[in-house]
Amino acid sequence: MQNVVIETVKTALGWVPAQWLPGGTPDPLIERRVALGRQDSRLDGPAKVTGLARFAAEVPMERLCYGALLHSTVTRGRIARLDTAAAEAAPGVVLVMTHRNMPRIGTLALIGVSDLSAVGNSSLPILQNDEVRYNGQVVAAVLAETQEQADHAASLIEIDYAVEAAKTRFDDAKAAARTPASILIERNHVLVGNAAQEVDRAAHRVDNLYRTPGHNHNAIELHAVTVAWQGETLLVHDATQMIAPSANALAKLFGLKKQQVRVLSPYVGGGFGGKGLWDHQVVAVAAAKLVGRPVRLMLSRESVYRMIGGRSPSEQRVAIGADADGRFNAIIHTGYSVMPPYGACPEQYTMCSRALYNAKSFEIVQHHVDLDIVPNTYMRAPGEAIGTFAIECAVDELAHQMGIDPIELRRRNEPERHPLSGTAFSQRALTTAYAEGAQHFGWERRLAEPGARRDGEWRIGMGCASGSFPYARMPGAHVRLTLRRDGTVNLSCSAQEMGMGTSTVQVQHAADRLGLPVEAISFDMGDSALPAGSMAGGSSQTVSLAAAIMAATEKLTGELLRLAGNDSPLAGLRARDVQLVDAGIGDVADTARHESYRSILTRAAREEVSVIAAGSPPLEMLKFAMHSSSAVFCELRVSEVTGEIRIDRLLGSFDCGTILNPKTAASQFKGGMIMGIGLALTEETLFDARNGRIMNATLADYHIPVHLDVPEIDVIWTGIPDPRSPLGARGIGEIGITGVAAAIANAVFNATGKRIRDLPITLDKLL
Ligand code: MOS
């Protein structure tokens, strides 16, 4: 049904002239930038450096009590015996909450494309019965006067389980895998021509399996809430990337009106997809209600591993067939990942293969393996991060086999239009990104022969790979714009600042949009009491808010022209005749006709004008093929003695539309690339299939890259504006990680002649 609706809308939009749609006319700010494109420092920087920025677990409250959670140690079963007496008698304990005394509530509605206010990551009941569905599930919560007392009391709860058989083995569960009809807004199973036959008949072919392990979220800030019931209203200080929908979801769950729940989250210490709505917020809200006191619940690092889902493991098959000239006649990308039916994230690893290359035939399909496990969730470039590993290693393998430079092989298969839909790309300059990247990196020094470069015990290699991430703009993002008589402007909405520079860039944007200096603009966010912005996800927040600010500016212009009236030099001009410039409104045709905001508001005897507006529906996403893309380059050394890998250089060459602030953008790109190093070399959730338990639920055992693992990282970009998007920008948050694992794996091959197709590339695999 969803496939039919979306495909029908796409077909219909194909017939609608572009100029009638959002993105049909390029945003004038693409040409007229003053503050945008400047290397401004983050506005939230000083507050963070001086410790004034207050995070969710730092909000002081009177009579606060502290929470601790207890997690199931078995995978499937029932609680057969539960003894909380010792915990209840422990010093400082205020409440022990289990399924026996937890208030009865419904289940969370899962994140989905059909209901954007639904944001649950798991639809399993939360402390509602004695059933255990995965190892690590929350089975009890303790509130006490101090954190230490809560932690201690939780250790005194005794539970015996009646254990039941559980599905914990990926390979065993594959036979019963489900094949969903759609993956996000795309049809899942795509067949163009007869790809199986084309691969068989191809002059050159590769056909391999690639395996990636599960990954856990490790944001610096632990998940935390401080919650307080104030009469019939609920105040939630949360660390979340989805403020407005979380408030809605909590209201629904606890039978409140939307306005009765206020979620505050002005700062988030890293999200990456993991800071959504999980069991802990619900447990904290329920516990606070039972005791009539405010509650702080900050997850331990181990709790984050046990109850916050991460990236799904995958097994992917990529087969490519090519003719003698290297033109692809078939791309097959199929595979399995884990997605329990009570989870929300389909790990869309085949998305990249739909957009990267031309081919005569395609076969693409994903299967979901059902395990008894904490639901996997979105984790920086979900799908694309591991999907690009598979397809981009396969392309490198084919290039090697054919004796063609891998960049040249990609160039020969660069699509003119979207390879599956035939839709025009809004803007795409991946070949430019490759050319500039190759030059900057010194790609010509690469030797095609594996193992040809050495330095003592070290073998040296270079590799490259493409990254890809679809453009997204969220519908329904609102913003309030208030222009005051003194010429200052306040913008507000419930947007999220997770460290990427949300307010900084939108202040730069609003300054240019309104013809004001950045100092005149303030931006309030992080509060569900403000107009609902969009969530921070899918690398979509910047353009989503930008479209709302555009709409608010248009509304403001109309309002100001009305107030200006007939005594103004602007008399008789309509909105389309004017532009906002030099702290006022000016006639586009006659620059002498201008009136300042101050003058208009003074004459109208108004202290301020305030408008609320929502961005246009994001139809450009359906009318055009829109993707951020990148070329990633890596040079590394592999020790012949130990198998150890040292990355010497990493370069990302990005094609993501206009770069709005080089400083915040470079930081986003580099952060993503560092996560890519972890994906390639160190990160792996070790899952004990015997009991379904994560074995390395600590930062000591789950290895993320540290400073010594990370070389100098260079980032460059084409900076070519996308004529179809607000500000000419596309997402930059997630593209950074994509392609990195393949570039590293391809460099390892170039150094050693060893092709490692299962991540992470640890030294044992190279000896
Ligand atoms: Mo993201 S994985 O949309 O934070």
Side-chain angles (χ1 to χ4, degrees), residues 21-23 116 470-477 534 537-548 550 614-621 724-726:
L21 298 173
L116 291 168
Y471 165 88
R473 184 159 73 80
M474 297 290 171
S534 62
S539 300
S540 66
Q541 187 177 235
T542 300
V543 288
S544 304
L545 297 181
M550 271 170 92
S616 56
L619 298 175
E620 73 277 17
M621 284 170 68
R724 306 305 181 180
S725 70

Side-chain angles (χ1 to χ4, degrees), residues 400-579:
H400 175 73
Q401 198 188 106
M402 297 183 68
I404 301 180
D405 180 90
I407 298 176
E408 172 57 21
L409 182 62
R410 289 184 174 90
R411 201 190 55 74
R412 287 186 200 173
N413 292 284
E414 173 68 15
E416 286 284 320
R417 303 176 77 84
H418 189 277
L420 294 177
S421 63
T423 309
F425 288 113
S426 56
Q427 177 270 329
R428 179 179 166 104
L430 179 56
T431 46
T432 309
Y434 263 109
E436 290 173 357
Q439 207 211 346
H440 198 91
F441 194 73
W443 181 253
E444 80 283 351
R445 293 200 300 275
R446 173 180 178 268
L447 303 177
E449 179 63 25
R453 273 178 75 194
R454 3 184 7 146
D455 174 14
E457 72 174 77
W458 299 95
R459 290 180 180 272
I460 300 168
M462 282 190 195
C464 69
S466 303
S468 168
F469 199 82
Y471 165 88
R473 184 159 73 80
M474 297 290 171
H478 285 71
V479 69
R480 179 189 292 124
L481 193 170
T482 304
L483 169 68
R484 307 187 195 95
R485 192 192 289 189
D486 64 4
T488 61
V489 161
N490 178 261
L491 295 165
S492 65
C493 70
S494 66
Q496 289 80 190
E497 177 60 85
M498 309 196 287
M500 65 291 226
T502 304
S503 58
T504 311
V505 167
Q506 296 301 346
V507 163
Q508 290 176 283
H509 165 210
D512 285 359
R513 187 76 66 189
L514 294 159
L516 288 168
V518 289
E519 296 74 30
I521 318 276
S522 61
F523 188 40
D524 294 334
M525 62 175 168
D527 183 347
S528 67
L530 300 171
S534 62
M535 68 155 165
S539 300
S540 66
Q541 187 177 235
T542 300
V543 288
S544 304
L545 297 181
I549 292 172
M550 271 170 92
T553 307
E554 277 169 34
K555 211 164 164 181
L556 177 79
T557 307
E559 195 73 5
L560 287 172
L561 283 175
R562 201 179 55 75
L563 287 177
N566 288 331
D567 299 333
S568 166
L570 305 168
L573 292 176
R574 282 158 304 178
R576 64 164 180 271
D577 306 324
V578 300
Q579 58 181 344

Side-chain angles (χ1 to χ4, degrees), residues 241 272-273 378-382 536-538 734:
Q241 9 189 154
F272 314 111
Y378 299 90
M379 182 164 171
R380 209 165 201 181
E734 309 194 66

